[in-house]
Amino acid sequence: MKTANDLYKHLLQQFIHYSIPELIELNNELVKGNGWGSNRATFRTAVLTTLARKGINLSPIMSRDDGFTSIRIVPIKLTEDNTVEAMG
């Protein structure tokens, strides 16, 4: 991949085929793992974007303040109402 943006677009195309439980597990592996280097954020952004596109509410792990969005780096689980919840 030439750039992080190219990698992001490629991942979005691949992750659309993943199930919601697979995406949640991938997120959890990403936030717990070490050694991902600079691509870790790109992978996680693609995972979370795909979850949002599949109708999952990510607001419990996101906050907006002064025009900036922050996303907590935590393992997540899915609740009955298609909302994620931080684990632990």
Side-chain angles (χ1 to χ4, degrees), residues 4-32:
N5 193 39
D6 292 334
L7 175 60
Y8 174 74
K9 288 177 183 177
H10 172 76
L11 291 171
L12 286 178
Q13 291 173 350
Q14 299 306 306
F15 290 161
I16 196 68
H17 303 291
Y18 284 46
S19 69
I20 291 171
E22 288 172 322
L23 291 165
I24 288 174
E25 181 62 30
L26 185 53
N27 172 79
N28 294 347
E29 290 175 13
L30 285 166
V31 300
K32 292 178 186 176

Side-chain angles (χ1 to χ4, degrees), residues 34-53:
N34 294 321
W36 278 84
S38 62
N39 290 329
R40 182 178 180 180
T42 304
F43 270 78
R44 184 154 189 256
T45 300
V47 168
L48 295 177
T49 299
T50 304
L51 282 169
R53 288 180 177 176

